[in-house]
Amino acid sequence: MTTESVSLSSQPPTVVVSPCAACKILRRRCADKCVLAPYFPPTEPLKFTIAHRVFGASNIIKFLQELPESQRADAVSSMVYEANARIRDPVYGCAGSICQLQKQVNDLQAQLAKAQADLLNIKCQQTNLLALICMEMAHQNDEYIM
Amino acid sequence: MTTESVSLSSQPPTVVVSPCAACKILRRRCADKCVLAPYFPPTEPLKFTIAHRVFGASNIIKFLQELPESQRADAVSSMVYEANARIRDPVYGCAGSICQLQKQVNDLQAQLAKAQADLLNIKCQQTNLLALICMEMAHQNDEYIM
């Protein structure tokens, strides 16, 4: 199970070509104000096929209609990402990646805590060593004076 | 945006009560071999409502039918987890948690690398300090002998 890097800062294409990939796959007329068209251009049919296979067209449309236009491109990106994860791993999907990342966070936190404890320990040792050297030097100075 | 802990090792209930929450919500007859019944007991209607709202009943059934029975409980758990994440965060869903966890992993890796570099550095200093003390002691011994 691998965790892909997520990039969610996508922008909708400025030119909308009709019919969009969604309407072509759903075999329906692509209206002027098609809610899917800005995010599913005809050049990327797989993007819609994958999202449709996991969420279903009606759910995708419903989700997009419930969001302001400025957030729709990000919502489509995250849905396509999740759908890809579900197809790659039909049992765990995105939740599998979350489990794996949570485990990695826990491991790293434990390693960091150990490294910080080691650092504190060695710093104490160094302070003691320096104090010893200072004492030794002061002792030698005393001997020279006497 | 918070990242909930994921537990994916669920087991289907041994006793199947009919009609299951899914068939009750879908207003259909719950057959003896209903594929949803073992994972959506009538006592937890919200579990199905949430998964249905995000994936749709037909997709959930299709996903489960494509999996061996031993993996279906985990698949339902991960779908319910993902559906909850999508309802909580309609723009980023689970992918948002993955982004956040990836950022946390990157931060921890950077902190760990720094702590390990600091540790190596202070160990070098300590080795030099010990060498200095040994040299000093050897020098003092020489003076005593002379």
Side-chain angles (χ1 to χ4, degrees):
Chain A
M1 190 165 53
T2 57
T3 304
E4 274 181 17
S5 180
V6 196
S7 169
L8 296 173
S9 56
S10 55
Q11 285 301 313
T14 45
V15 180
V16 177
V17 185
S18 187
C20 71
C23 291
K24 204 172 176 184
I25 289 160
L26 298 172
R27 293 167 193 236
R28 60 175 206 175
R29 201 175 66 82
C30 191
D32 272 355
K33 291 198 173 180
C34 170
V35 74
L36 299 170
Y39 317 106
F40 297 104
T43 47
E44 294 177 84
L46 203 63
K47 203 173 146 186
F48 181 75
T49 305
I50 287 166
H52 175 46
R53 196 176 133 71
V54 173
F55 296 100
S58 59
N59 279 347
I60 299 171
I61 292 167
K62 187 186 67 190
F63 290 145
L64 293 183
Q65 279 170 337
E66 285 169 359
L67 288 173
E69 274 190 30
S70 61
Q71 295 192 304
R72 290 181 186 177
D74 281 355
V76 167
S77 290
S78 72
M79 276 189 273
V80 171
Y81 178 86
E82 274 183 56
N84 268 308
R86 174 65 52 189
I87 285 166
R88 201 173 51 236
D89 180 355
V91 182
Y92 299 106
C94 256
S97 306
I98 290 178
C99 263
Q100 195 191 19
L101 282 164
Q102 272 175 344
K103 197 187 163 303
Q104 202 181 347
V105 164
N106 291 345
D107 288 350
L108 283 166
Q109 280 173 335
Q111 283 181 60
L112 183 62
K114 197 194 167 301
Q116 283 171 338
D118 287 350
L119 200 59
L120 202 66
N121 202 16
I122 207 165
K123 272 182 183 169
C124 276
Q125 283 176 22
Q126 203 175 38
T127 306
N128 291 344
L129 215 54
L130 281 168
L132 205 71
I133 293 169
C134 286
M135 272 170 61
E136 185 60 28
M137 281 169 73
H139 178 68
Q140 276 180 29
N141 279 346
D142 288 348
E143 276 182 352
Y144 276 120
I145 291 162
M146 284 195 287
Chain B
M1 190 165 52
T2 56
T3 306
E4 274 181 17
S5 181
V6 196
S7 169
L8 297 172
S9 55
S10 55
Q11 285 301 313
T14 45
V15 181
V16 176
V17 185
S18 187
C20 70
C23 291
K24 204 172 176 186
I25 289 161
L26 298 172
R27 293 165 191 236
R28 59 176 207 175
R29 202 175 65 83
C30 192
D32 273 355
K33 291 199 172 178
C34 171
V35 73
L36 299 170
Y39 317 106
F40 297 103
T43 47
E44 294 177 84
L46 203 62
K47 204 174 147 186
F48 181 75
T49 306
I50 287 166
H52 175 46
R53 196 176 133 73
V54 173
F55 296 101
S58 59
N59 279 347
I60 299 171
I61 292 168
K62 186 185 70 189
F63 290 146
L64 293 183
Q65 280 171 338
E66 286 169 359
L67 288 173
E69 275 190 29
S70 61
Q71 295 192 302
R72 290 182 188 176
D74 282 355
V76 167
S77 290
S78 71
M79 274 189 275
V80 171
Y81 178 86
E82 275 182 55
N84 269 308
R86 173 67 51 190
I87 285 166
R88 200 172 52 235
D89 180 356
V91 182
Y92 298 107
C94 255
S97 306
I98 291 179
C99 262
Q100 194 191 19
L101 282 164
Q102 272 175 344
K103 196 186 163 300
Q104 203 182 347
V105 165
N106 291 345
D107 287 351
L108 283 167
Q109 280 173 335
Q111 281 181 61
L112 184 62
K114 197 194 167 296
Q116 284 171 336
D118 286 350
L119 200 57
L120 202 67
N121 201 16
I122 208 164
K123 273 182 183 168
C124 276
Q125 284 176 23
Q126 203 175 39
T127 307
N128 291 343
L129 214 54
L130 280 169
L132 203 73
I133 293 169
C134 288
M135 272 171 62
E136 185 59 29
M137 282 170 72
H139 178 67
Q140 277 180 29
N141 278 346
D142 289 348
E143 277 181 353
Y144 276 120
I145 291 160
M146 286 194 289

Short mmCIF file of all heavy atoms in Angstrom, two decimals, chain A residues 54-55 82-83 85-86 89 91-96 98, chain B residues 50 54-55 76-87 93-94:
data_model
loop_
_atom_site.label_atom_id
_atom_site.label_comp_id
_atom_site.label_asym_id
_atom_site.label_seq_id
_atom_site.Cartn_x
_atom_site.Cartn_y
_atom_site.Cartn_z
N VAL A 54 -16.88 5.41 -8.24
CA VAL A 54 -16.84 5.34 -6.77
C VAL A 54 -17.99 6.13 -6.13
O VAL A 54 -18.64 5.63 -5.20
CB VAL A 54 -15.46 5.81 -6.24
CG1 VAL A 54 -15.45 5.93 -4.72
CG2 VAL A 54 -14.37 4.85 -6.72
N PHE A 55 -18.22 7.35 -6.60
CA PHE A 55 -19.24 8.19 -5.94
C PHE A 55 -20.59 8.20 -6.66
O PHE A 55 -21.60 8.49 -6.03
CB PHE A 55 -18.73 9.64 -5.81
CG PHE A 55 -17.51 9.77 -4.93
CD1 PHE A 55 -16.24 9.87 -5.47
CD2 PHE A 55 -17.64 9.77 -3.55
CE1 PHE A 55 -15.12 9.98 -4.66
CE2 PHE A 55 -16.53 9.88 -2.73
CZ PHE A 55 -15.26 9.99 -3.29
N GLU A 82 -9.59 10.41 -3.98
CA GLU A 82 -10.20 9.36 -3.14
C GLU A 82 -10.67 8.18 -3.97
O GLU A 82 -10.53 7.03 -3.56
CB GLU A 82 -11.38 9.95 -2.37
CG GLU A 82 -10.98 10.61 -1.07
CD GLU A 82 -12.19 11.11 -0.30
OE1 GLU A 82 -13.10 10.30 -0.01
OE2 GLU A 82 -12.22 12.30 0.00
N ALA A 83 -11.27 8.50 -5.14
CA ALA A 83 -11.77 7.43 -6.00
C ALA A 83 -10.61 6.56 -6.50
O ALA A 83 -10.70 5.33 -6.52
CB ALA A 83 -12.54 8.03 -7.16
N ALA A 85 -7.81 6.09 -4.97
CA ALA A 85 -7.35 5.30 -3.82
C ALA A 85 -8.25 4.09 -3.59
O ALA A 85 -7.79 2.99 -3.29
CB ALA A 85 -7.29 6.17 -2.57
N ARG A 86 -9.56 4.28 -3.77
CA ARG A 86 -10.53 3.19 -3.55
C ARG A 86 -10.37 2.11 -4.62
O ARG A 86 -10.47 0.93 -4.33
CB ARG A 86 -11.95 3.77 -3.53
CG ARG A 86 -13.10 2.81 -3.46
CD ARG A 86 -13.20 2.00 -2.18
NE ARG A 86 -13.16 2.79 -0.95
CZ ARG A 86 -13.07 2.25 0.27
NH1 ARG A 86 -13.01 0.94 0.44
NH2 ARG A 86 -13.00 3.03 1.34
N ASP A 89 -7.07 0.32 -3.88
CA ASP A 89 -7.17 -0.50 -2.67
C ASP A 89 -8.65 -0.60 -2.29
O ASP A 89 -9.15 0.19 -1.49
CB ASP A 89 -6.36 0.17 -1.54
CG ASP A 89 -6.41 -0.62 -0.24
OD1 ASP A 89 -7.14 -1.62 -0.16
OD2 ASP A 89 -5.70 -0.22 0.71
N VAL A 91 -10.36 -2.41 -0.40
CA VAL A 91 -10.74 -2.69 0.99
C VAL A 91 -10.56 -1.44 1.86
O VAL A 91 -11.45 -1.09 2.63
CB VAL A 91 -9.93 -3.87 1.58
CG1 VAL A 91 -10.36 -4.17 3.01
CG2 VAL A 91 -10.09 -5.11 0.72
N TYR A 92 -9.42 -0.79 1.75
CA TYR A 92 -9.14 0.32 2.68
C TYR A 92 -9.20 1.72 2.05
O TYR A 92 -9.36 2.71 2.77
CB TYR A 92 -7.79 0.10 3.37
CG TYR A 92 -7.78 -1.16 4.19
CD1 TYR A 92 -7.09 -2.29 3.77
CD2 TYR A 92 -8.51 -1.23 5.37
CE1 TYR A 92 -7.11 -3.46 4.52
CE2 TYR A 92 -8.54 -2.39 6.11
CZ TYR A 92 -7.84 -3.51 5.69
OH TYR A 92 -7.88 -4.66 6.43
N GLY A 93 -9.02 1.83 0.75
CA GLY A 93 -9.07 3.14 0.08
C GLY A 93 -8.19 4.17 0.76
O GLY A 93 -7.10 3.85 1.25
N CYS A 94 -8.67 5.41 0.81
CA CYS A 94 -7.95 6.52 1.45
C CYS A 94 -7.70 6.26 2.93
O CYS A 94 -6.69 6.71 3.47
CB CYS A 94 -8.79 7.78 1.36
SG CYS A 94 -8.23 8.93 0.14
N ALA A 95 -8.63 5.57 3.58
CA ALA A 95 -8.50 5.31 5.02
C ALA A 95 -7.23 4.49 5.29
O ALA A 95 -6.60 4.64 6.34
CB ALA A 95 -9.73 4.60 5.54
N GLY A 96 -6.86 3.64 4.33
CA GLY A 96 -5.62 2.86 4.46
C GLY A 96 -4.41 3.76 4.49
O GLY A 96 -3.50 3.57 5.32
N ILE A 98 -4.41 6.85 5.43
CA ILE A 98 -4.47 7.60 6.70
C ILE A 98 -3.88 6.74 7.83
O ILE A 98 -3.08 7.23 8.63
CB ILE A 98 -5.91 8.07 7.00
CG1 ILE A 98 -6.27 9.18 5.99
CG2 ILE A 98 -6.06 8.59 8.43
CD1 ILE A 98 -7.68 9.71 6.11
N ILE B 50 -25.03 7.65 6.13
CA ILE B 50 -23.82 8.41 5.78
C ILE B 50 -23.11 7.80 4.58
O ILE B 50 -22.78 8.49 3.62
CB ILE B 50 -22.90 8.51 7.03
CG1 ILE B 50 -23.51 9.50 8.04
CG2 ILE B 50 -21.49 8.91 6.65
CD1 ILE B 50 -22.91 9.46 9.41
N VAL B 54 -22.80 9.39 0.48
CA VAL B 54 -21.53 9.69 -0.21
C VAL B 54 -21.28 8.74 -1.38
O VAL B 54 -20.91 9.18 -2.47
CB VAL B 54 -20.35 9.70 0.79
CG1 VAL B 54 -19.02 9.83 0.06
CG2 VAL B 54 -20.52 10.83 1.79
N PHE B 55 -21.47 7.44 -1.17
CA PHE B 55 -21.13 6.47 -2.23
C PHE B 55 -22.35 5.99 -3.02
O PHE B 55 -22.19 5.53 -4.15
CB PHE B 55 -20.41 5.26 -1.62
CG PHE B 55 -19.10 5.58 -1.00
CD1 PHE B 55 -18.96 5.72 0.37
CD2 PHE B 55 -17.97 5.77 -1.80
CE1 PHE B 55 -17.73 6.04 0.95
CE2 PHE B 55 -16.74 6.08 -1.23
CZ PHE B 55 -16.62 6.21 0.15
N VAL B 76 -16.42 -1.90 4.60
CA VAL B 76 -17.53 -1.07 5.10
C VAL B 76 -17.00 -0.04 6.10
O VAL B 76 -17.32 1.15 6.01
CB VAL B 76 -18.65 -1.94 5.73
CG1 VAL B 76 -19.64 -1.08 6.51
CG2 VAL B 76 -19.39 -2.72 4.64
N SER B 77 -16.12 -0.48 7.02
CA SER B 77 -15.55 0.47 8.00
C SER B 77 -14.83 1.62 7.30
O SER B 77 -15.00 2.77 7.67
CB SER B 77 -14.53 -0.24 8.89
OG SER B 77 -15.17 -1.12 9.75
N SER B 78 -14.02 1.28 6.29
CA SER B 78 -13.26 2.34 5.62
C SER B 78 -14.19 3.24 4.81
O SER B 78 -13.99 4.45 4.76
CB SER B 78 -12.14 1.76 4.75
OG SER B 78 -12.67 1.13 3.61
N MET B 79 -15.25 2.68 4.22
CA MET B 79 -16.21 3.51 3.47
C MET B 79 -16.96 4.45 4.41
O MET B 79 -17.15 5.63 4.09
CB MET B 79 -17.19 2.63 2.69
CG MET B 79 -16.64 2.23 1.33
SD MET B 79 -17.87 1.42 0.29
CE MET B 79 -17.75 -0.26 0.85
N VAL B 80 -17.37 3.94 5.57
CA VAL B 80 -18.10 4.78 6.54
C VAL B 80 -17.16 5.89 7.05
O VAL B 80 -17.56 7.05 7.17
CB VAL B 80 -18.68 3.93 7.70
CG1 VAL B 80 -19.24 4.80 8.81
CG2 VAL B 80 -19.76 2.98 7.18
N TYR B 81 -15.89 5.52 7.30
CA TYR B 81 -14.90 6.51 7.74
C TYR B 81 -14.75 7.62 6.69
O TYR B 81 -14.78 8.81 7.00
CB TYR B 81 -13.56 5.83 8.00
CG TYR B 81 -12.47 6.79 8.41
CD1 TYR B 81 -12.31 7.17 9.74
CD2 TYR B 81 -11.63 7.35 7.46
CE1 TYR B 81 -11.33 8.07 10.11
CE2 TYR B 81 -10.64 8.26 7.82
CZ TYR B 81 -10.50 8.61 9.14
OH TYR B 81 -9.53 9.51 9.50
N GLU B 82 -14.59 7.21 5.42
CA GLU B 82 -14.41 8.18 4.34
C GLU B 82 -15.65 9.04 4.14
O GLU B 82 -15.54 10.25 3.90
CB GLU B 82 -14.12 7.44 3.02
CG GLU B 82 -12.66 7.12 2.84
CD GLU B 82 -12.39 6.44 1.50
OE1 GLU B 82 -12.75 7.00 0.45
OE2 GLU B 82 -11.84 5.34 1.51
N ALA B 83 -16.83 8.41 4.26
CA ALA B 83 -18.07 9.16 4.08
C ALA B 83 -18.23 10.20 5.19
O ALA B 83 -18.60 11.35 4.92
CB ALA B 83 -19.26 8.20 4.08
N ASN B 84 -17.89 9.83 6.42
CA ASN B 84 -17.92 10.79 7.53
C ASN B 84 -16.99 11.97 7.26
O ASN B 84 -17.34 13.13 7.51
CB ASN B 84 -17.51 10.11 8.84
CG ASN B 84 -18.71 9.55 9.59
OD1 ASN B 84 -19.68 10.25 9.82
ND2 ASN B 84 -18.64 8.28 9.96
N ALA B 85 -15.78 11.65 6.77
CA ALA B 85 -14.80 12.70 6.48
C ALA B 85 -15.33 13.64 5.39
O ALA B 85 -15.15 14.86 5.47
CB ALA B 85 -13.48 12.08 6.04
N ARG B 86 -16.01 13.09 4.38
CA ARG B 86 -16.54 13.92 3.27
C ARG B 86 -17.68 14.81 3.76
O ARG B 86 -17.79 15.96 3.35
CB ARG B 86 -16.98 12.99 2.13
CG ARG B 86 -17.70 13.61 0.97
CD ARG B 86 -16.87 14.56 0.11
NE ARG B 86 -15.62 14.01 -0.34
CZ ARG B 86 -14.66 14.72 -0.93
NH1 ARG B 86 -14.83 16.01 -1.18
NH2 ARG B 86 -13.51 14.16 -1.27
N ILE B 87 -18.49 14.29 4.69
CA ILE B 87 -19.61 15.09 5.20
C ILE B 87 -19.07 16.20 6.13
O ILE B 87 -19.53 17.33 6.08
CB ILE B 87 -20.67 14.19 5.89
CG1 ILE B 87 -21.45 13.46 4.77
CG2 ILE B 87 -21.62 14.97 6.78
CD1 ILE B 87 -22.28 12.31 5.22
N GLY B 93 -12.54 16.28 2.24
CA GLY B 93 -12.79 14.91 2.71
C GLY B 93 -11.55 14.27 3.29
O GLY B 93 -10.74 14.93 3.95
N CYS B 94 -11.40 12.98 3.06
CA CYS B 94 -10.24 12.22 3.53
C CYS B 94 -8.93 12.76 2.99
O CYS B 94 -7.91 12.70 3.66
CB CYS B 94 -10.36 10.78 3.05
SG CYS B 94 -10.85 9.64 4.32
#
